Amino acid sequence: MLYLVGLGLSDETDITVKGLEIVKKAARVYLEAYTSILLVDQSVLESYYGRSIVVADREMVESNSDEILRDAQTEDVAFCVVGDPFGATTHTDLILRARELSIPVQAVPNASIMSGIGASGLQLYNFGQTVSMVFFLDNWRPASFYDRIKENRDIGLHTLVLLDIKVKEQSLENMARGIKIYEPPRYMTVGQCAQQMLEVEEDKKEGVYGPDSLAIGAARVGGRTEKFVAGTLKQLCDADDVLGPPLHSLVLLGKRAHELERDYAREFALDKDTWDKVWAANYGKQ
């Protein structure tokens, strides 16, 4: 059996009882380590699980899945995913490859940012499509997220924005030369995301959102040091010191937000007067 085991959002204790039993008994245990990270090191996981763990980077999962699936017809293999196996990423290719080899697959669900963001006070059924924000480069500024946000905004729904992480990435120069030297890890912040969003709006000029659009920045959701801040996109550009270390996410509020959401999120506001004024002028309506 190939087991896809969700690890939850924060630390070694977030794994479910079912997931922990599978990890302890599996012949091999892999940790998918490029779409998200836990807030503890691999050694902490190994100590708690009582198992050695093989870190599976993007290259292994996408190009060397045969090694992960080796002998899974006759023994159990645990493939551990931060959050939920079918949350921010589905690992569809790995599952389809297992099916081709007649390997049974079972997923063990857990909390992900898709559900954990409810701690911001926003109601999950008021969310639309989730989008991703990547680090912009001088000659590469993808803006496909903009149209998805517009679709959400047109029907008044919130948008969860997942922020880029760069783990075990090569520079273009080293990649071209085939040199296996990797860049230091980078994790996008709410401030960087908000700034890039405003830059895209300035280019597009379609009025999907703007400096005065309300948003909530989230950090280390589900962890002991979980933190939320609420304000305008302009305010969130300078909120990284308040939010602290990674991982960060951002939510752009939809205009049909409920007054209960307003009151709950107001406790996180960087400036409650600004929050009240912008809300009264623009939100709580279709």
Side-chain angles (χ1 to χ4, degrees), residues 173-190:
E173 182 180 358
N174 286 333
M175 188 180 299
R177 294 180 176 180
I179 300 173
K180 296 288 187 178
I181 297 176
Y182 301 100
E183 300 294 295
R186 288 195 297 154
Y187 307 97
M188 181 178 284
T189 66
V190 161

Side-chain angles (χ1 to χ4, degrees), residues 139-236:
N139 58 350
W140 188 64
R141 297 162 60 88
S144 59
F145 66 87
Y146 188 87
D147 292 335
R148 304 290 81 76
I149 293 176
K150 185 178 188 299
E151 291 169 358
N152 290 344
R153 297 278 282 182
D154 285 346
I155 52 177
L157 297 179
H158 310 313
T159 301
L160 171 61
V161 186
L162 304 178
L163 310 192
D164 200 5
I165 68 171
K166 297 292 187 185
V167 178
K168 204 176 180 182
E169 298 275 344
Q170 292 176 272
S171 68
L172 293 178
E173 182 180 358
N174 286 333
M175 188 180 299
R177 294 180 176 180
I179 300 173
K180 296 288 187 178
I181 297 176
Y182 301 100
E183 300 294 295
R186 288 195 297 154
Y187 307 97
M188 181 178 284
T189 66
V190 161
Q192 291 169 322
C193 176
Q195 182 61 47
Q196 290 189 177
M197 290 180 70
L198 291 177
E199 290 173 8
V200 170
E201 178 58 54
E202 182 65 24
D203 292 339
K204 298 273 189 180
K205 291 183 170 60
E206 296 181 25
V208 173
Y209 51 80
D212 292 331
S213 295
L214 291 182
I216 297 177
R220 302 171 303 284
V221 173
R224 296 182 180 91
T225 61
E226 177 182 83
K227 181 74 174 180
F228 296 99
V229 297
T232 65
L233 273 182
K234 184 178 180 180
Q235 288 175 325
L236 292 188

Side-chain angles (χ1 to χ4, degrees), residues 3 17 20 59 61 113 117 122 130 138 152 158 171 187 190 195 223 230 279:
Y3 289 96
V17 174
L20 184 58
E59 182 178 356
V61 177
I113 189 61
I117 198 63
L122 301 180
T130 297
D138 291 340
N152 290 344
H158 310 313
S171 68
Y187 307 97
V190 161
Q195 182 61 47
W279 183 285

